[in-house]
Amino acid sequence: MEINVKNGLGVFDVANVLNDENQDNVTSTTGVAGKSTTSKTAKVVNLGGKVRSDGIMSIIVKANSLLAGAKQTIKLQGSNDNFVSDIVDLNIHEFGDAAALPGATDISTGRYDLPYSNVRGSTAYQYLRSFAVVNEPSPNSPANHIGYVAFLLPN
């Protein structure tokens, strides 16, 4: 996986990769990294404790659907029990057809650098992961998809 990290955005560390999936997601799923061709392993970044972490979440969208009404969402989620039951959305970014999104612009492929924090309210979350939500515009539209790479660049 080739990742071009621009100066000033943080330091790239392979341990902070949230998703390196090269295939399109056609169903909602957690980010995966370091997978073999026969199995997928959900990728969780352990920050090593409940301390504040701020930086940039970089999302490189390689492919996504712009079908009428198509929408895909990539979330940065946090947890303090390694996603057993304690799951919160820390950052949400939507992609897809303009008709399904606020505003009047399709949001398609490219790189999106978004600020993130692992703190929500007064709680710092130790574990982070990406989660892609793929919404079908109708039950007969299985072509809705998103393919992306995501990683954290802590300050």
Side-chain angles (χ1 to χ4, degrees):
M1 170 178 52
E2 181 179 326
I3 298 173
N4 179 17
V5 178
K6 298 177 185 174
N7 291 333
L9 288 182
V11 177
F12 176 76
D13 183 337
V14 72
N16 292 329
V17 172
L18 296 168
N19 189 55
D20 68 1
E21 178 73 5
N22 289 321
Q23 298 181 2
D24 292 346
N25 293 309
V26 294
T27 59
S28 299
T29 184
T30 59
V32 294
K35 67 176 188 65
S36 69
T37 56
T38 58
S39 66
K40 294 183 180 182
T41 302
K43 176 61 185 243
V44 174
V45 173
N46 182 346
L47 298 176
K50 297 177 187 177
V51 297
R52 184 178 188 103
S53 174
D54 299 306
I56 299 294
M57 178 175 75
S58 191
I59 302 169
I60 301 170
V61 179
K62 300 162 107 182
N64 75 317
S65 174
L66 294 177
L67 298 172
K71 179 171 78 170
Q72 310 88 30
T73 305
I74 297 178
K75 301 177 179 185
L76 176 65
Q77 295 182 322
S79 175
N80 279 326
D81 67 359
N82 205 6
F83 300 98
V84 175
S85 62
D86 173 32
I87 302 171
V88 298
D89 293 335
L90 299 170
N91 194 328
I92 300 171
H93 195 73
E94 297 176 323
F95 302 88
D97 176 51
L101 303 173
T105 305
D106 291 341
I107 300 178
S108 187
T109 58
R111 181 172 172 162
Y112 301 86
D113 292 318
L114 310 169
Y116 83 87
S117 175
N118 70 322
V119 175
R120 183 170 178 200
S122 60
T123 304
Y125 293 92
Q126 178 175 348
Y127 302 98
L128 302 178
R129 73 178 183 190
S130 68
F131 190 87
V133 179
V134 180
N135 295 327
E136 298 300 336
S138 75
N140 299 318
S141 299
N144 193 8
H145 65 279
I146 188 164
Y148 73 101
V149 170
F151 53 93
L152 301 176
L153 297 169
N155 288 338

